[in-house]
Amino acid sequence: MARAEALFRQKEYAESLSLCTKIIEKKPKLANAIHLTALNYYALGQFAPAIAEFQKAIAINSQLSSFHSNLGNVYLDQESFVEASRCFEKALNLEPLLPEPNYNLAICLHNQRNYSLAENFCKKAILQDATNSDFYLHLGVIYYDQGQFDNAAKALVKALEVENKHKKGRTHLDAYWQLFSLHLSQHRYQDALEVADLGIQSQQLSEQQLCTLLIGKAIIYFLFNRLDEAKHTLQLSEIIHQFPSQPKYLKKFSVFHHYIKNLIALYESGEYKDCYNLVNDATKMYFISESHGFAPNRTSIQYKDQNYEVNSLFIMGAKVIHFVTEEENKYQVSLVSLLQDLAPGSKVVVAFGEIDCRPDEGIYSYSLKSKRDYKDVIDDMLSKYVNALKNLADSFDIEIILYGVPAPHPQSIEILPPSEQQRFKDIVAYYNLALANACQSLNIKLLDVYALTNKDGQSNLQHHIDNYHLSPKTVPTLFNLQSQ
């Protein structure tokens, strides 16, 4: 056993596993050997046999908290948060003062949107070990997701301080990125840029981590028409396309990288120069969205016989569903903080919903998992959404114009099995129909981008410039149609 444990500590997992197998042949009920077998399987990424072996060890000896906690770790890695929670709760029933199970339980509860309990368990982990920066980092994220921006900032700064002092957390990236994202949500763009520079100058980040912060900077530079600086940061982060097996968050930034680079190239080519006929007396019209707002930024439009220049404002990752939940969250707080700073009478296009209408997340996947009729899901969500926006418009004395969801690009549809493709197209079509009906009932103007881009339930390819995004001419075209 001592030799097998030493091999495990040396990360010689296959050799340790082989030795454990020999031990168990002689001692089939030796719980520690079975537990070490499970740990080796886990380290090798073989989750199913790891779970089976952990369960065998627990069946022999259920009084060791480490057995339950390590089984919970496997479930946590698989994002099986309910099963993981049960394991960490059992571990804490045996040893309540262990920091790691408290922290891991906080992660599970956070992902189940039980924020108050998650906060409590994260604070317990900190009380038991104040030298681990991960604990402060996750507490900051819990606050951030609830829209408690001041508390989030304090916890994230503390995470960096603790990491610099004790070198015990996993990485610097999350704290720098979370602080950058926090400032972005508060629309404190200079603060966000300064945090990104601190992270980059720390010289302690991986290439992936550097790319994330650089592309975050490029987003701000692009939105504020600092195109040379945007191009420079995109050049520095070009390596993002070379990383194998990108995690989900990095794939998102690869899309941002390609999209902004493409928009700058289109602008400099003059292909859409007719969209930028800015005049001296143009008033700002605001376009608030996720990444769909990048393309119309700085374009010129006419609305009600007045000239406007589009000023795009960005809330990263926002979906319609975020604005209709009862629990206050960072997206709601971010939107309110944007709107309350606008002058009375401002015209504001709100363009969320595209992420809700993707084949790999949002309404489609939720309706399959929950077995709810997608029409009921959409009707309930959009009714609350449009009413909430109407109330905000009245509160701040602004005019809100809604923007639909474009017909999906054929390549987005083709990732689904052929038997599901029509259902997905029907969902996007019904979403836009329900949005139009909700707008009509409340006398809110709608920019019907679906009708403009649709051909038989999918994109007519006249406006898409990649699989998700539309060209700079799309919003000016929609306003021209409004005036006809």
Side-chain angles (χ1 to χ4, degrees), residues 27-47:
K27 296 282 187 180
K29 298 288 187 180
L30 190 59
N32 285 346
I34 297 169
H35 178 249
L36 185 56
T37 298
L39 288 173
N40 281 302
Y41 278 129
Y42 178 33
L44 291 166
Q46 299 180 38
F47 290 163

Side-chain angles (χ1 to χ4, degrees), residues 17 29 31 50 53 60 81 163-164 206 228 230 241 245 260 262 284 318 326 364 379 382 428:
L17 182 60
K29 298 288 187 180
E53 295 301 317
I60 295 168
F81 300 115
E163 169 63 19
N164 288 331
S206 69
D228 287 341
H241 301 297
S245 304
I260 297 172
N262 192 15
K284 286 190 180 298
E326 292 183 5
Y364 172 74
D379 288 341
L382 289 185
V428 180

Side-chain angles (χ1 to χ4, degrees), residues 72 74-85 108:
V74 185
Y75 285 127
L76 183 57
D77 275 4
Q78 296 178 298
E79 298 187 354
S80 300
F81 300 115
V82 174
E83 291 86 349
S85 293
C108 294

Side-chain angles (χ1 to χ4, degrees), residues 250-263:
L250 207 59
K251 288 178 182 176
K252 177 177 72 174
F253 281 93
S254 293
V255 171
F256 282 137
H257 186 282
H258 174 76
Y259 178 37
I260 297 172
K261 186 177 176 182
N262 192 15
L263 285 174

Side-chain angles (χ1 to χ4, degrees), residues 30-322:
L30 190 59
N32 285 346
I34 297 169
H35 178 249
L36 185 56
T37 298
L39 288 173
N40 281 302
Y41 278 129
Y42 178 33
L44 291 166
Q46 299 180 38
F47 290 163
I51 289 171
E53 295 301 317
F54 278 131
Q55 289 173 337
K56 285 181 190 176
I58 290 168
I60 295 168
N61 185 353
S62 63
Q63 298 305 302
L64 287 177
S65 63
S66 59
F67 288 11
H68 297 286
S69 185
N70 287 328
L71 176 57
N73 291 338
V74 185
Y75 285 127
L76 183 57
D77 275 4
Q78 296 178 298
E79 298 187 354
S80 300
F81 300 115
V82 174
E83 291 86 349
S85 293
R86 294 192 188 108
C87 296
F88 296 130
E89 286 167 357
K90 289 176 182 177
L92 291 170
N93 283 337
L94 294 165
E95 292 189 71
L97 300 182
L98 290 173
E100 287 293 337
N102 276 289
Y103 168 63
N104 289 331
L105 182 54
I107 294 174
C108 294
L109 292 165
H110 182 197
N111 279 279
Q112 295 172 75
R113 297 183 181 176
N114 193 336
Y115 296 113
S116 58
L117 270 180
E119 180 184 335
N120 288 340
F121 279 101
C122 209
K123 287 178 176 177
K124 285 182 182 178
I126 291 170
L127 283 173
Q128 292 140 21
D129 181 1
T131 67
N132 193 318
S133 61
D134 289 344
F135 300 171
Y136 295 97
L137 170 60
H138 200 79
L139 180 62
V141 175
I142 293 168
Y143 285 135
Y144 178 29
D145 283 354
Q146 295 177 89
Q148 297 181 28
F149 292 157
D150 289 343
N151 287 337
K154 290 174 186 174
L156 293 170
V157 169
K158 184 68 175 178
L160 283 172
E161 291 173 354
V162 170
E163 169 63 19
N164 288 331
K165 183 175 181 180
H166 297 284
K167 309 294 183 187
K168 196 172 179 180
R170 289 191 300 275
T171 68
H172 286 71
L173 165 76
D174 284 342
Y176 282 119
W177 171 253
Q178 292 293 343
L179 272 170
F180 176 90
S181 181
L182 172 63
H183 291 316
L184 199 62
S185 295
Q186 294 175 287
H187 317 292
R188 293 165 52 179
Y189 303 107
Q190 189 58 42
D191 289 343
L193 292 172
E194 289 173 5
V195 166
D197 286 339
L198 284 172
I200 293 164
Q201 291 163 12
S202 71
Q203 298 185 337
Q204 296 174 345
L205 305 183
S206 69
E207 288 182 330
Q208 291 185 1
Q209 296 165 352
L210 285 169
C211 283
T212 306
L213 288 172
L214 286 166
I215 294 168
K217 289 182 68 175
I219 290 170
I220 294 175
Y221 289 145
F222 178 79
L223 291 177
F224 285 89
N225 198 26
R226 295 162 64 176
L227 299 189
D228 287 341
E229 290 163 292
K231 286 166 65 176
H232 179 63
T233 54
L234 291 173
Q235 288 169 358
L236 293 174
S237 57
E238 191 70 40
I239 195 173
I240 193 168
H241 301 297
Q242 300 175 22
F243 297 128
S245 304
Q246 291 183 344
K248 187 176 180 180
Y249 83 91
L250 207 59
K251 288 178 182 176
K252 177 177 72 174
F253 281 93
S254 293
V255 171
F256 282 137
H257 186 282
H258 174 76
Y259 178 37
I260 297 172
K261 186 177 176 182
N262 192 15
L263 285 174
I264 293 173
L266 289 172
Y267 177 75
E268 293 181 339
S269 73
E271 182 175 349
Y272 295 103
K273 63 182 179 181
D274 291 343
C275 299
Y276 299 96
N277 294 326
L278 302 178
V279 293
N280 292 331
D281 63 342
T283 305
K284 286 190 180 298
M285 175 182 284
Y286 301 95
F287 195 104
I288 303 177
S289 72
E290 222 266 353
S291 59
H292 265 277
F294 293 3
N297 190 42
R298 296 179 300 104
T299 57
S300 54
I301 61 171
Q302 277 199 326
Y303 178 57
K304 296 181 179 178
D305 298 321
Q306 187 169 348
N307 296 313
Y308 289 92
E309 176 188 346
V310 176
N311 183 189
S312 293
L313 300 167
F314 178 54
I315 303 180
M316 184 179 288
K319 305 177 188 177
V320 168
I321 191 64
H322 294 136

